[in-house]
Amino acid sequence: MLWERGDPNPNRLPPPTAGEMLSVAEHFLEQQMHPTVIIGAYRKALDDMIHVLKKISTPVDVNNREMMLKIIKSAINTKAINRWSELACSIALDAVRTVELEENGRKEIDIKKYAKVEKIPGGFSEDSCVLRGIMVNKDVTHPRMRRLIKNPRIVLLDCSLEYKKGESQTDIEITREEDFARILQMEEEYIQQICEDLLRVKPDLVITEKGISDLAQHYLMRANISAVRRVRKTDNNRIARACGARIVSRTDELREEDVGTGAGLFEVKKIGDEYFAFITDCKDPKACTIVLRGASKEILAEVERNLQDAMQVCRNVLVDPQLVPGGGAAEMAVSHALTEKSKGMTGVEQWPYRAVAQALEVIPRTLIQNCGASTIRVLTSLRAKHTQEGSQTWGVNGESGALADMKELGVWEPLAVKLQTYKTAVEVSMQYNPGWNGSSVNVLHVRSVGRGDSLHYVWSSIGAPAVLLVATRSPSSALSIDWSRLLSPAPAGAVWIEPPGSVVYAAAVVFTK
């Protein structure tokens, strides 16, 4: 029942409110109202919308697990994961709580970096869980290395444990047999020195992002050290955060404080045909892995998408613990407040201001239409309801289309998402037509392209939108526009090409409404 998505990302498609705000602005443009007047009214309306939303918002106790689960559940009620909603909500809340980090009064919750979702086909969906640690799809490099270590000392590297190779083609000319033996000996000594640097800090587990040579594996195996190679950079960062280790670039720089001792168990398990390394039972993991099980890859992909939405909702509430009622109640409350304020305004600005209030009704109106109810009757009843004191939480029941108190239904939306939605809607509606803010109000683009600016195009929105294309034979032609004449009742001759007579081809396309 959450209308807006969990991720308040303005780079995605604009919300339906943006299209409605553009639609209501068209009427004023046709009446020759200057765009700057409309923009001024929209900016003023946005400030008042933000103020009203904050006024009707309800604070949330983020430490109340039951309340948090109820909020997250409202985000996935209509999704495919709804069947396992209890489990999914617990997974989302536990994962976000795990990666939550507060430093110097600043709260950081980076789900993308530190909450990795691992999808393993097979098993039951009920087997999905959040690990108190990290899981990677890797096995130890040598079959005789330990696959189960309790309280491991972990060293993380981003350098290779093998002799250095030439970056491009490398030629070595050898004249004596002793020289070849010496080269092999130098390589072995180099590997041995690297392994001695590692043995100095007495690790139980070595994880590197690069390769490990056979000789290095031999030395590590003899020292009873397990090794995992070619781990992704992102996985290495998560392991470092979970067990308290530091990623080291050179083995000779290893120190005792670089060793991670926060993990309680290292274990390699075989699930299906794959081997997975588990680093779990971490004391204070600030990173985690979510293990998803399911019948097929398609089901797992859908569950992951739904789970990402649930985690984003949880993150938004933890960062800004304020909620507003869903089901179109917030839109109607803001719309009513703007309409009342517009009655006290003077001048032409009051009409675009009031139109913003009208545009907000698109959300409850769409909800009513989706339910098949009578749009006019229900929307009129909802307007009347919001004129009463204390009825700001009343909206549309998304299943029946009848009026309902969103507080009783438990339908809420994060304030942060709602604020971002309104800001995006107003900004998109103002920036959709770049000509609004300039002197060339009715022309969107004037461009010259081709060798020597030989092709010109003008995209115009005077009346019906139109595109004018002009091709010239001159190596240095220019297209000029007389704006005052173009916008006058007799615009003939307002657009011309210099030098005269250089036009080879010209065409205009008019897009009728």
Side-chain angles (χ1 to χ4, degrees):
M1 297 274 280
L2 272 182
W3 240 85
E4 307 299 342
R5 62 186 174 271
D7 179 11
N9 185 351
N11 297 323
R12 309 258 181 101
L13 288 172
T17 324
E20 194 68 15
M21 286 185 180
L22 278 169
S23 179
V24 296
E26 184 181 12
H27 172 66
F28 303 112
L29 289 170
E30 288 174 351
Q31 291 184 338
Q32 302 300 312
M33 184 180 290
H34 200 276
T36 54
V37 176
I38 302 172
I39 289 173
Y42 274 33
R43 290 195 194 281
K44 192 177 290 184
L46 177 61
D47 292 338
D48 293 336
M49 286 153 68
I50 293 170
H51 174 72
V52 174
L53 276 178
K54 289 181 177 178
K55 187 178 176 183
I56 66 172
S57 65
T58 306
V60 182
D61 180 11
V62 294
N63 296 316
N64 185 340
R65 184 177 176 84
E66 189 179 338
M67 180 64 181
M68 289 296 294
L69 290 173
K70 197 178 292 184
I71 294 167
I72 300 168
K73 190 174 181 180
S74 68
I76 60 174
N77 261 349
T78 56
K79 301 184 188 295
I81 205 173
N82 179 39
R83 183 176 166 190
W84 307 281
S85 60
E86 296 292 336
L87 177 64
C89 291
S90 297
I91 288 174
L93 182 58
D94 292 340
V96 175
R97 279 292 197 186
T98 301
V99 302
E100 182 182 4
L101 184 65
E102 195 159 352
E103 285 182 340
N104 304 322
R106 178 176 163 272
K107 190 175 285 188
E108 179 199 304
I109 305 175
D110 196 334
I111 299 168
K112 188 175 180 180
K113 271 189 183 179
Y114 300 116
K116 175 77 180 294
V117 177
E118 286 283 358
K119 304 185 287 289
I120 306 175
F124 300 98
S125 297
E126 289 81 359
D127 299 334
S128 304
C129 63
V130 179
L131 300 176
R132 283 189 61 81
I134 306 298
M135 182 195 80
V136 290
N137 189 0
K138 295 287 177 183
D139 189 12
V140 291
T141 56
H142 195 283
R144 288 172 59 188
M145 287 179 176
R146 287 183 293 170
R147 283 192 166 92
L148 178 66
I149 307 171
K150 292 185 178 178
N151 300 317
R153 289 170 57 83
I154 302 173
V155 168
L156 302 179
L157 304 171
D158 67 354
C159 60
S160 60
L161 300 184
E162 51 193 1
Y163 53 85
K164 290 184 179 177
K165 302 166 188 172
E167 297 207 1
S168 56
Q169 186 173 348
T170 306
D171 295 327
I172 299 176
E173 188 174 330
I174 298 172
T175 55
R176 296 183 304 166
E177 184 183 346
E178 295 83 1
D179 293 340
F180 182 66
R182 178 60 187 148
I183 289 172
L184 293 178
Q185 185 183 353
M186 287 170 65
E187 289 178 353
E188 287 187 16
E189 287 173 356
Y190 177 74
I191 298 296
Q192 190 173 2
Q193 182 59 47
I194 287 176
C195 292
E196 285 175 1
D197 292 337
L198 288 171
L199 295 176
R200 196 178 65 249
V201 293
K202 299 174 183 173
D204 296 308
L205 175 64
V206 174
I207 299 174
T208 180
E209 298 169 24
K210 307 289 173 58
I212 302 176
S213 69
D214 292 343
L215 187 59
Q217 290 178 39
H218 170 71
Y219 285 132
L220 293 175
M221 185 269 296
R222 282 179 56 185
N224 203 23
I225 298 172
S226 297
V228 178
R229 64 182 168 188
R230 295 195 175 91
V231 173
R232 291 177 184 167
K233 182 77 175 174
T234 51
D235 287 335
N236 217 16
N237 288 334
R238 273 190 287 273
I239 295 169
R241 187 148 151 159
C243 69
R246 293 181 192 168
I247 300 173
V248 180
S249 300
R250 291 170 59 96
T251 54
D252 56 353
E253 294 176 357
L254 266 171
R255 302 288 180 270
E256 178 61 32
E257 55 267 24
D258 298 328
V259 180
T261 56
L265 181 68
F266 167 74
E267 186 178 10
V268 176
K269 295 180 183 177
K270 188 178 182 184
I271 303 175
D273 295 330
E274 307 258 0
Y275 284 95
F276 294 90
F278 291 81
I279 299 170
T280 53
D281 296 343
C282 298
K283 294 171 187 171
D284 185 23
K286 289 301 175 186
C288 66
T289 298
I290 301 165
V291 181
L292 290 184
R293 305 300 309 275
S296 67
K297 289 181 180 178
E298 291 74 19
I299 291 174
L300 287 172
E302 182 63 28
V303 170
E304 183 190 10
R305 281 193 293 271
N306 298 165
L307 195 62
Q308 289 290 352
D309 284 346
M311 287 195 292
Q312 291 291 357
V313 168
C314 182
R315 173 194 168 277
N316 290 336
V317 174
L318 287 175
V319 171
D320 186 3
Q322 299 280 331
L323 296 177
V324 292
E331 281 76 16
M332 287 305 297
V334 174
S335 175
H336 174 69
L338 294 184
T339 304
E340 290 300 308
K341 185 168 182 178
S342 69
K343 293 175 182 177
M345 296 173 69
T346 56
V348 293
E349 203 177 42
Q350 64 177 301
W351 305 113
Y353 184 95
R354 190 174 294 180
V356 174
Q358 177 191 336
L360 290 174
E361 293 183 356
V362 68
I363 300 295
R365 184 165 65 245
T366 307
L367 277 173
I368 297 165
Q369 288 170 350
N370 289 346
C371 299
S374 172
T375 308
I376 297 173
R377 186 181 297 115
V378 177
L379 198 57
T380 305
S381 303
L382 190 57
R383 283 197 202 106
K385 191 73 179 176
H386 275 264
T387 59
Q388 301 172 11
E389 193 69 33
S391 300
Q392 294 170 330
T393 57
W394 279 75
V396 179
N397 186 323
E399 294 176 354
S400 65
L403 299 189
D405 189 348
M406 296 297 111
K407 188 187 291 184
E408 293 180 4
L409 283 182
V411 181
W412 298 94
E413 300 182 52
L415 174 64
V417 176
K418 188 60 76 177
L419 286 174
Q420 185 62 56
T421 304
Y422 283 7
K423 289 174 186 175
T424 303
V426 174
E427 289 297 326
V428 166
S429 60
M430 290 192 296
Q431 294 178 9
Y432 186 78
N433 186 338
W436 280 16
N437 292 315
S439 57
S440 55
V441 169
N442 291 301
V443 175
L444 300 182
H445 292 293
V446 179
R447 291 286 185 272
S448 299
V449 294
R451 183 177 295 177
D453 295 341
S454 57
L455 180 65
H456 307 271
Y457 74 82
V458 182
W459 176 12
S460 168
S461 63
I462 302 171
V467 176
L468 171 66
L469 285 170
V470 181
T472 65
R473 66 167 64 90
S474 173
S476 58
S477 59
L479 183 143
S480 302
I481 298 176
D482 183 341
W483 293 106
S484 57
R485 184 185 295 183
L486 187 65
L487 300 176
S488 68
V495 180
W496 69 94
I497 292 286
E498 295 176 351
S502 62
V503 176
V504 177
Y505 174 79
V509 181
V510 178
F511 299 92
T512 57
K513 294 183 180 178

